[in-house]
Amino acid sequence: MIRRVAVLPQPPLLIPELAAGAADECAELREACLAAARRLTSASPDWVVIGAAAGAPEVPEHASGSFRGFGVDLGVSLSRVTAPETELPLPALVAGWLRERGGASSVRVHLVDPATPADQCEQFGRAVGDHPAVLVLGDGSSRHGPRSPGGEDARAEGFDAGIRDALAKADTGALAALDPALAAELGAGGRAPWQVLAGLADGDWTAEVLYSAAPFGVGYHVAVWEHA
């Protein structure tokens, strides 16, 4: 049975070495993410991770990788087992970084393509099965404000307010009902992983949002769900 779910964003800015001059601005977000990771480890030292990457490549167990492609040669591993370095997509790299700092033993990463239809995301979630600790990675809209990466869109604020409310209420129905076309227009990369969550999170939950803001023009949400 799933005991605990942590929902986190995956910006490279989480990592101080990559954030550089913005490290202090990211401190509140980073601390919220690390707090959620530690709570996940208290449910189980082994996590299942849900993320999105183009083509949904398979991520080997015990893999190691580096943030070299993001400008800093910082290595991470998906388990305490030493393995040769391979090229890992961003969700796997962030999961490895969180694993090491959250005290987990291993993470098993399952990826969906960002364009996966909503019903297939839910089917994917049901197929993942029951695991005590599940980490879901994904960002909100990238179109908050005139300096946002995707360019300003007035719909971004309402979209991410809806995500925050759904996470605060553990409302899987609201996540399942997200419009993939709207999410794509708003640059919300977390849509598919959130809809996988809607498929795997059966039953009653209590929920807490630890962080919800758009400090760099992108919606970032941190929440923890506990099985009631």
Side-chain angles (χ1 to χ4, degrees), residues 2-205:
I2 301 173
R3 294 172 53 199
R4 192 165 295 155
V5 174
V7 181
L8 274 63
Q10 58 179 29
L13 288 171
L14 274 181
I15 291 83
E17 292 88 343
L18 275 67
D24 289 343
E25 295 178 67
C26 298
E28 183 181 358
L29 171 62
R30 185 181 309 112
E31 286 307 310
C33 290
L34 293 177
R38 290 189 290 267
R39 287 172 64 174
L40 204 59
T41 301
S42 70
S44 173
D46 302 303
W47 305 347
V48 164
V49 179
I50 305 298
E58 183 174 351
V59 178
E61 291 189 72
H62 312 301
S64 297
S66 171
F67 283 98
R68 189 181 302 108
F70 294 89
V72 176
D73 189 8
L74 175 67
V76 296
S77 176
L78 301 186
S79 78
R80 293 175 179 170
V81 177
T82 302
E85 183 180 306
T86 188
E87 185 174 348
L88 295 176
L90 180 59
L93 291 171
V94 172
W97 185 84
L98 289 166
R99 178 200 72 79
E100 294 170 359
R101 284 144 191 86
S105 296
S106 68
V107 298
R108 183 70 178 95
V109 179
H110 299 272
L111 298 176
V112 292
D113 190 276
T116 303
D119 60 338
Q120 292 182 26
C121 288
E122 291 187 69
Q123 291 172 15
F124 186 96
R126 288 190 287 270
V128 167
D130 288 343
H131 301 274
V134 177
L135 172 64
V136 179
L137 294 172
D139 299 342
S141 173
S142 63
R143 306 193 68 177
H144 289 268
R147 294 187 176 182
S148 59
E152 186 173 16
D153 191 308
R155 299 171 295 174
E157 183 176 354
F159 178 88
D160 273 301
I163 299 301
R164 180 195 62 231
D165 291 346
L167 294 177
K169 299 173 184 176
D171 189 344
T172 56
L175 296 177
L178 291 173
D179 181 353
L182 175 61
E185 289 173 12
L186 295 177
R191 189 277 306 174
W194 296 330
Q195 291 188 318
V196 172
L197 171 60
L200 65 84
D202 290 329
D204 296 324
W205 299 82

